[in-house]
Coordinates of all heavy atoms in Angstrom, one line a residue:
M172 N 0.8 -1.2 0.0 CA 0.0 0.0 0.0 C 0.9 1.3 0.0 O 1.8 1.3 0.8 CB -0.9 0.0 1.2 CG -1.9 1.1 1.3 SD -3.3 0.9 2.4 CE -2.5 0.4 3.9
V173 N 0.6 2.2 -0.9 CA 1.3 3.4 -1.0 C 0.4 4.6 -0.6 O -0.7 4.6 -1.0 CB 1.9 3.6 -2.4 CG1 2.5 5.0 -2.6 CG2 2.8 2.5 -2.8
A174 N 0.9 5.5 0.2 CA 0.2 6.7 0.5 C 0.8 8.0 0.0 O 2.1 8.1 -0.1 CB 0.1 6.8 2.0
H175 N 0.0 8.9 -0.5 CA 0.5 10.1 -1.1 C 0.3 11.3 -0.1 O -0.8 11.5 0.3 CB -0.2 10.4 -2.4 CG 0.6 11.4 -3.3 ND1 0.4 12.8 -3.2 CD2 1.5 11.2 -4.2 CE1 1.2 13.4 -4.0 NE2 1.9 12.5 -4.7
V176 N 1.4 12.0 0.3 CA 1.3 13.1 1.2 C 0.9 14.4 0.5 O 1.6 14.7 -0.5 CB 2.6 13.2 2.0 CG1 2.5 14.4 3.0 CG2 3.0 11.9 2.7
E177 N -0.1 15.1 0.9 CA -0.5 16.3 0.2 C -0.7 17.4 1.2 O -1.0 17.2 2.4 CB -1.9 16.0 -0.4 CG -1.9 15.0 -1.5 CD -1.7 15.5 -2.9 OE1 -1.6 16.7 -3.0 OE2 -1.6 14.7 -3.8
E178 N -0.6 18.6 0.7 CA -1.0 19.8 1.4 C -0.4 20.0 2.8 O -1.1 20.2 3.8 CB -2.6 19.9 1.6 CG -3.3 19.6 0.3 CD -3.2 20.7 -0.8 OE1 -2.6 21.8 -0.4 OE2 -3.5 20.5 -1.9
V179 N 0.9 19.8 2.9 CA 1.6 20.0 4.2 C 1.8 21.5 4.4 O 2.4 22.1 3.5 CB 2.9 19.2 4.2 CG1 3.7 19.5 5.5 CG2 2.7 17.7 4.1
C180 N 1.4 22.0 5.5 CA 1.5 23.5 5.7 C 1.5 23.9 7.1 O 0.7 23.4 7.9 CB 0.4 24.2 5.0 SG 0.7 26.0 4.8
V181 N 2.5 24.7 7.5 CA 2.5 25.3 8.9 C 2.3 26.8 8.7 O 2.9 27.4 7.8 CB 3.9 25.0 9.5 CG1 4.1 25.8 10.8 CG2 4.1 23.5 9.8
S182 N 1.5 27.4 9.5 CA 1.2 28.8 9.4 C 2.5 29.6 9.4 O 3.5 29.3 10.1 CB 0.4 29.2 10.7 OG 0.2 30.6 10.7
A183 N 2.6 30.6 8.5 CA 3.8 31.4 8.3 C 4.4 31.9 9.6 O 5.6 31.8 9.8 CB 3.5 32.5 7.3
S184 N 3.6 32.3 10.5 CA 4.1 32.9 11.8 C 4.7 31.8 12.7 O 5.4 32.2 13.7 CB 3.0 33.7 12.5 OG 2.0 32.8 12.9
Q185 N 4.4 30.5 12.4 CA 4.8 29.5 13.3 C 5.9 28.6 12.7 O 6.4 27.6 13.3 CB 3.6 28.6 13.7 CG 2.5 29.3 14.4 CD 3.0 30.0 15.7 OE1 3.7 29.5 16.5 NE2 2.6 31.3 15.8
Q186 N 6.3 29.0 11.5 CA 7.4 28.1 10.8 C 8.7 28.3 11.5 O 9.0 29.3 12.1 CB 7.5 28.6 9.3 CG 6.3 28.2 8.5 CD 6.3 28.7 7.1 OE1 7.3 29.2 6.6 NE2 5.1 28.6 6.4
G187 N 9.5 27.3 11.4 CA 10.9 27.3 11.9 C 10.9 26.9 13.4 O 11.9 27.1 14.1
K188 N 9.8 26.4 14.0 CA 9.7 26.1 15.4 C 9.7 24.6 15.6 O 9.4 24.1 16.7 CB 8.5 26.7 16.0 CG 8.5 28.3 16.0 CD 7.3 28.8 16.6 CE 7.3 30.4 16.6 NZ 6.1 30.9 17.2
G189 N 9.9 23.8 14.6 CA 9.9 22.3 14.7 C 8.5 21.7 14.5 O 8.4 20.5 14.6
L190 N 7.5 22.5 14.2 CA 6.1 21.9 14.1 C 6.0 21.1 12.8 O 5.3 20.0 12.9 CB 5.1 23.1 14.1 CG 5.0 23.9 15.4 CD1 4.0 25.0 15.2 CD2 4.5 23.0 16.5
G191 N 6.6 21.5 11.7 CA 6.5 20.7 10.5 C 7.1 19.3 10.7 O 6.5 18.3 10.3
L192 N 8.2 19.3 11.4 CA 8.9 18.0 11.7 C 8.0 17.1 12.5 O 7.8 15.9 12.2 CB 10.2 18.3 12.4 CG 11.1 17.1 12.7 CD1 11.5 16.4 11.4 CD2 12.3 17.5 13.5
I193 N 7.4 17.7 13.5 CA 6.5 16.9 14.4 C 5.3 16.4 13.6 O 4.9 15.2 13.7 CB 6.0 17.8 15.6 CG1 7.1 18.1 16.5 CG2 4.8 17.1 16.3 CD1 6.8 19.1 17.6
L194 N 4.8 17.2 12.7 CA 3.6 16.8 11.9 C 4.0 15.7 11.0 O 3.2 14.7 10.9 CB 3.2 18.1 11.1 CG 2.0 17.9 10.1 CD1 0.7 17.8 10.9 CD2 1.9 19.1 9.2
I195 N 5.1 15.8 10.3 CA 5.4 14.7 9.4 C 5.9 13.4 10.1 O 5.5 12.3 9.7 CB 6.6 15.2 8.4 CG1 6.1 16.3 7.6 CG2 7.0 14.0 7.5 CD1 4.9 16.1 6.6
Q196 N 6.5 13.6 11.2 CA 6.9 12.4 12.0 C 5.7 11.7 12.5 O 5.6 10.4 12.5 CB 7.8 12.8 13.2 CG 9.2 13.1 12.7 CD 10.1 13.5 13.9 OE1 9.7 14.1 14.9 NE2 11.4 13.4 13.7
A197 N 4.6 12.4 12.9 CA 3.4 11.8 13.3 C 2.7 11.1 12.2 O 2.2 10.0 12.3 CB 2.5 12.8 13.9
L198 N 2.7 11.7 11.0 CA 2.2 11.1 9.8 C 2.9 9.8 9.4 O 2.3 8.8 9.1 CB 2.3 12.2 8.7 CG 1.6 11.8 7.4 CD1 0.1 11.9 7.5 CD2 2.0 12.8 6.3
N199 N 4.2 9.9 9.5 CA 5.1 8.7 9.2 C 4.7 7.6 10.1 O 4.5 6.4 9.7 CB 6.6 9.0 9.4 CG 7.1 10.1 8.4 OD1 6.4 10.4 7.4 ND2 8.3 10.5 8.6
A200 N 4.6 7.9 11.4 CA 4.3 6.8 12.4 C 2.9 6.3 12.2 O 2.7 5.0 12.3 CB 4.4 7.4 13.8
T201 N 1.9 7.1 11.9 CA 0.5 6.7 11.6 C 0.5 5.8 10.4 O -0.2 4.7 10.4 CB -0.4 7.9 11.4 OG1 -0.4 8.7 12.6 CG2 -1.8 7.4 11.2
A202 N 1.2 6.2 9.4 CA 1.2 5.3 8.1 C 1.8 4.0 8.4 O 1.3 2.9 8.0 CB 2.1 6.1 7.1
K203 N 2.9 4.0 9.2 CA 3.5 2.7 9.6 C 2.6 1.8 10.4 O 2.4 0.6 10.1 CB 4.8 3.0 10.4 CG 5.7 1.8 10.6 CD 7.0 2.1 11.4 CE 7.8 0.9 11.6 NZ 8.9 1.1 12.5
D204 N 1.8 2.4 11.3 CA 0.9 1.7 12.1 C -0.2 1.1 11.2 O -0.8 0.0 11.5 CB 0.2 2.6 13.2 CG 1.2 2.9 14.3 OD1 2.2 2.2 14.4 OD2 0.9 3.8 15.1
L205 N -0.6 1.8 10.2 CA -1.6 1.4 9.3 C -1.2 0.3 8.2 O -1.9 -0.2 7.4 CB -2.2 2.6 8.5 CG -3.1 3.5 9.4 CD1 -3.4 4.8 8.6 CD2 -4.3 2.9 9.9
G206 N 0.1 0.1 8.3 CA 0.7 -0.9 7.3 C 1.0 -0.4 6.0 O 1.2 -1.1 5.0
V207 N 1.1 0.9 5.9 CA 1.5 1.6 4.6 C 3.0 1.2 4.3 O 3.9 1.2 5.1 CB 1.4 3.1 4.7 CG1 2.0 3.8 3.5 CG2 -0.1 3.5 4.8
G208 N 3.2 0.7 3.0 CA 4.5 0.3 2.6 C 5.4 1.4 2.2 O 6.7 1.3 2.4
K209 N 4.8 2.5 1.7 CA 5.7 3.6 1.2 C 4.8 4.9 1.2 O 3.7 4.9 0.9 CB 6.1 3.3 -0.2 CG 7.0 4.3 -0.8 CD 7.8 3.8 -2.0 CE 6.9 3.6 -3.2 NZ 7.6 3.3 -4.5
L210 N 5.5 6.0 1.6 CA 4.9 7.3 1.5 C 5.6 8.1 0.4 O 6.8 8.0 0.3 CB 5.1 8.1 2.9 CG 4.2 7.6 4.0 CD1 4.9 8.0 5.3 CD2 2.9 8.3 3.9
I211 N 4.8 8.7 -0.4 CA 5.4 9.5 -1.5 C 4.9 10.9 -1.5 O 3.7 11.1 -1.0 CB 5.2 8.9 -2.9 CG1 3.8 8.7 -3.2 CG2 6.0 7.6 -3.0 CD1 3.5 8.2 -4.6
L212 N 5.6 11.9 -1.9 CA 5.1 13.3 -2.0 C 5.9 14.0 -3.1 O 7.0 13.6 -3.5 CB 5.3 14.0 -0.6 CG 6.7 14.1 0.0 CD1 7.4 15.3 -0.5 CD2 6.5 14.2 1.5
N213 N 5.3 15.1 -3.5 CA 6.0 16.1 -4.4 C 6.3 17.3 -3.6 O 5.5 17.7 -2.8 CB 5.0 16.4 -5.6 CG 4.6 15.2 -6.3 OD1 3.5 14.8 -6.3 ND2 5.5 14.6 -7.0
C214 N 7.5 17.9 -3.9 CA 7.8 19.1 -3.2 C 8.7 20.0 -4.1 O 9.3 19.5 -5.0 CB 8.4 18.9 -1.8 SG 10.1 18.3 -1.9
S215 N 8.7 21.3 -3.7 CA 9.6 22.2 -4.4 C 11.1 21.9 -4.0 O 11.3 21.3 -3.0 CB 9.2 23.6 -4.1 OG 9.4 23.9 -2.8
K216 N 12.0 22.4 -4.8 CA 13.4 22.2 -4.5 C 13.8 22.8 -3.2 O 14.6 22.2 -2.4 CB 14.2 22.9 -5.6 CG 15.4 22.2 -6.1 CD 16.0 23.0 -7.3 CE 17.3 22.3 -7.8 NZ 17.9 22.9 -9.0
E217 N 13.1 23.9 -2.8 CA 13.4 24.6 -1.6 C 13.0 23.7 -0.3 O 13.5 24.0 0.8 CB 12.6 25.9 -1.5 CG 13.0 27.0 -2.5 CD 12.6 26.6 -3.9 OE1 11.4 26.1 -4.1 OE2 13.3 26.9 -4.9
N218 N 12.1 22.8 -0.5 CA 11.7 22.0 0.7 C 12.3 20.6 0.8 O 12.0 19.9 1.7 CB 10.1 21.8 0.6 CG 9.4 23.1 1.0 OD1 9.9 23.9 1.8 ND2 8.2 23.3 0.4
I219 N 13.3 20.3 -0.2 CA 13.9 19.0 -0.1 C 14.6 18.8 1.2 O 14.5 17.7 1.8 CB 14.9 18.9 -1.3 CG1 14.1 18.7 -2.6 CG2 15.8 17.6 -1.1 CD1 15.0 18.7 -3.9
K220 N 15.4 19.8 1.7 CA 16.1 19.6 2.9 C 15.2 19.3 4.1 O 15.5 18.5 4.9 CB 16.9 20.9 3.2 CG 18.2 21.0 2.4 CD 19.3 20.2 2.9 CE 20.5 20.2 2.0 NZ 21.0 18.9 1.6
F221 N 14.0 20.0 4.1 CA 13.1 19.8 5.2 C 12.6 18.3 5.2 O 12.7 17.6 6.2 CB 11.8 20.7 5.0 CG 10.7 20.3 5.9 CD1 10.7 20.4 7.3 CD2 9.5 19.8 5.3 CE1 9.6 20.0 8.1 CE2 8.4 19.4 6.1 CZ 8.5 19.5 7.5
Y222 N 12.2 17.8 4.0 CA 11.7 16.4 3.9 C 12.9 15.4 4.2 O 12.6 14.3 4.8 CB 11.0 16.1 2.6 CG 9.7 16.8 2.6 CD1 9.4 17.9 1.8 CD2 8.7 16.3 3.4 CE1 8.1 18.5 1.8 CE2 7.4 16.9 3.5 CZ 7.1 18.0 2.6 OH 5.9 18.6 2.6
E223 N 14.1 15.8 3.9 CA 15.2 14.9 4.2 C 15.3 14.8 5.7 O 15.6 13.7 6.3 CB 16.5 15.4 3.5 CG 16.5 15.1 2.0 CD 17.8 15.5 1.3 OE1 18.5 16.5 1.9 OE2 18.1 15.0 0.2
K224 N 15.1 15.9 6.4 CA 15.2 15.9 7.9 C 14.0 15.1 8.5 O 14.1 14.6 9.6 CB 15.2 17.3 8.4 CG 16.5 18.0 8.1 CD 16.8 19.2 8.9 CE 18.2 19.6 8.6 NZ 18.6 20.9 9.2
C225 N 13.0 14.9 7.7 CA 11.8 14.1 8.1 C 12.0 12.6 7.7 O 11.1 11.8 7.9 CB 10.5 14.6 7.5 SG 10.1 16.3 8.0
G226 N 13.1 12.3 7.1 CA 13.4 10.9 6.8 C 13.2 10.5 5.4 O 13.4 9.3 5.0
Y227 N 12.7 11.4 4.6 CA 12.5 11.1 3.1 C 13.8 11.3 2.3 O 14.7 12.0 2.7 CB 11.4 12.0 2.6 CG 10.0 11.8 3.2 CD1 9.7 12.0 4.5 CD2 9.0 11.3 2.4 CE1 8.5 11.7 5.1 CE2 7.7 11.0 2.9 CZ 7.5 11.3 4.2 OH 6.2 11.0 4.8
S228 N 13.8 10.6 1.1 CA 14.9 10.8 0.2 C 14.4 10.9 -1.2 O 13.3 10.5 -1.5 CB 15.9 9.6 0.4 OG 15.2 8.4 0.2
I229 N 15.2 11.6 -2.0 CA 14.8 11.8 -3.4 C 14.7 10.4 -4.1 O 15.6 9.6 -4.0 CB 15.8 12.7 -4.1 CG1 15.8 14.1 -3.5 CG2 15.5 12.8 -5.6 CD1 16.9 15.0 -4.0
A230 N 13.6 10.2 -4.9 CA 13.5 8.9 -5.6 C 12.9 9.2 -7.0 O 11.7 9.3 -7.1 CB 12.5 8.0 -4.8
G231 N 13.8 9.3 -7.9 CA 13.4 9.5 -9.3 C 12.8 10.8 -9.6 O 12.9 11.8 -8.9
Q232 N 12.1 10.9 -10.8 CA 11.5 12.1 -11.3 C 10.0 11.8 -11.4 O 9.6 10.7 -11.6 CB 12.1 12.5 -12.6 CG 13.6 12.7 -12.6 CD 14.0 14.0 -12.0 OE1 13.3 15.0 -12.3 NE2 15.0 14.0 -11.2
Q233 N 9.2 12.9 -11.4 CA 7.8 12.7 -11.6 C 7.4 13.2 -13.0 O 8.0 14.2 -13.5 CB 7.0 13.5 -10.6 CG 5.5 13.3 -10.7 CD 4.7 14.3 -10.0 OE1 5.1 15.5 -10.0 NE2 3.5 14.0 -9.5
M234 N 6.5 12.5 -13.6 CA 5.9 13.0 -14.9 C 4.4 13.1 -14.7 O 3.8 12.4 -13.9 CB 6.3 12.1 -16.0 CG 7.8 12.0 -16.2 SD 8.2 10.9 -17.5 CE 7.7 11.8 -19.0
E235 N 3.8 14.0 -15.5 CA 2.3 14.2 -15.4 C 1.8 14.6 -16.7 O 2.5 15.1 -17.6 CB 1.9 15.2 -14.3 CG 2.2 16.6 -14.7 CD 1.7 17.7 -13.7 OE1 1.2 17.3 -12.6 OE2 1.7 18.8 -14.0
L236 N 0.5 14.3 -16.9 CA -0.3 14.7 -18.0 C -1.5 15.4 -17.5 O -2.3 14.7 -16.8 CB -0.6 13.5 -18.9 CG -1.6 13.8 -20.1 CD1 -1.0 14.8 -21.1 CD2 -2.1 12.6 -20.7
K237 N -1.7 16.7 -17.7 CA -2.9 17.4 -17.2 C -4.0 17.1 -18.2 O -3.9 17.4 -19.3 CB -2.6 18.9 -17.0 CG -1.7 19.1 -15.8 CD -1.5 20.6 -15.5 CE -0.6 20.7 -14.3 NZ 0.0 22.1 -14.2
C238 N -5.1 16.6 -17.6 CA -6.3 16.3 -18.5 C -7.4 17.4 -18.4 O -8.1 17.5 -19.4 CB -6.8 15.0 -18.1 SG -5.7 13.6 -18.3
S239 N -7.5 18.1 -17.3 CA -8.5 19.1 -17.2 C -8.1 20.4 -17.8 O -6.9 20.7 -17.8 CB -8.9 19.2 -15.7 OG -7.8 19.6 -15.0
S240 N -9.0 21.2 -18.3 CA -8.7 22.4 -18.9 C -8.6 23.6 -17.9 O -9.0 23.4 -16.8 CB -9.7 22.8 -20.0 OG -11.0 22.8 -19.4
Ligands
COA129 C1 7.8 23.3 4.7 C2 7.1 23.5 6.1 C3 6.0 22.6 6.2 C4 8.2 23.2 7.2 O1 7.6 23.4 8.4 P1 8.4 24.1 9.6 O2 7.5 23.9 10.9 O3 8.7 25.5 9.2 O4 9.7 23.2 9.7 P2 10.5 22.8 11.0 O5 10.7 24.0 11.9 O6 9.8 21.6 11.7 O7 11.9 22.3 10.4 C5 12.5 21.1 10.7 C6 13.9 21.1 10.1 O8 13.8 21.3 8.7 C7 14.6 22.5 8.4 N1 13.9 23.2 7.3 C8 12.6 23.5 7.3 N2 12.3 24.1 6.1 C9 13.4 24.2 5.4 C10 13.7 24.6 4.1 N3 12.8 25.2 3.3 N4 15.0 24.5 3.7 C11 16.0 23.9 4.5 N5 15.7 23.4 5.7 C12 14.4 23.5 6.2 C13 14.6 23.3 9.7 O9 15.7 24.2 9.7 C14 14.7 22.2 10.7 O10 16.1 21.8 10.8 P3 16.8 21.5 12.2 O11 16.0 20.5 12.9 O12 18.1 21.1 11.8 O13 16.7 22.8 12.9 C15 6.7 25.0 6.2 O14 7.8 25.9 6.0 C16 5.6 25.4 5.3 O15 4.4 25.2 5.7 N6 5.9 26.0 4.2 C17 4.9 26.6 3.3 C18 4.1 25.5 2.6 C19 4.9 24.5 1.9 O16 5.9 24.8 1.2 N7 4.5 23.2 2.1 C20 5.2 22.0 1.6 C21 4.4 21.5 0.4 S1 5.2 20.1 -0.3

């Protein structure tokens, strides 16, 4: 089972206080408890370091085809 992480956001005034890390670590633990085999997400280049600190690593490239106008 694969889970896709979406819409991660910490209020601008509260960023840099460790809340994002706590949020993702809780998410990681919940996914593990649920038997999720892999978590995947898309992020900007600027957020790669953050997700690496949350335990994630770069895995390939993403491709997409937008179908809606
Ligand atoms: C990305 C985001 C969720 C991080 O949350 P946060 O609460 O500010 O992050 P934390 O304070 O928990 O940071 C945890 C660690 O990651 C580092 N980090 C966080 N954002 C970083 C960034 N953009 N670049 C490099 N390091 C970063 C912190 O310095 C900290 O490192 P440390 O433990 O060595 O001090 C938050 O900045 C955010 O909501 N940004 C706007 C929305 C967004 O871009 N969401 C991601 C969509 S994929």
Side-chain angles (χ1 to χ4, degrees):
M172 185 162 50
V173 175
H175 198 271
V176 180
E177 297 269 356
E178 312 292 349
V179 175
C180 193
V181 171
S182 174
S184 65
Q185 302 303 313
Q186 289 174 14
K188 298 180 178 178
L190 295 176
L192 183 63
I193 291 169
L194 182 70
I195 299 297
Q196 284 176 337
L198 188 70
N199 296 350
T201 301
K203 194 177 174 189
D204 288 348
L205 290 172
V207 170
K209 182 165 71 172
L210 285 157
I211 56 175
L212 60 83
N213 300 113
C214 74
S215 62
K216 223 173 178 177
E217 293 72 40
N218 286 331
I219 289 175
K220 285 278 172 234
F221 166 70
Y222 285 112
E223 285 179 339
K224 292 198 169 175
C225 295
Y227 290 66
S228 54
I229 296 172
Q232 302 285 319
Q233 186 199 31
M234 296 180 74
E235 70 173 10
L236 171 67
K237 288 183 177 165
C238 296
S239 55
S240 52

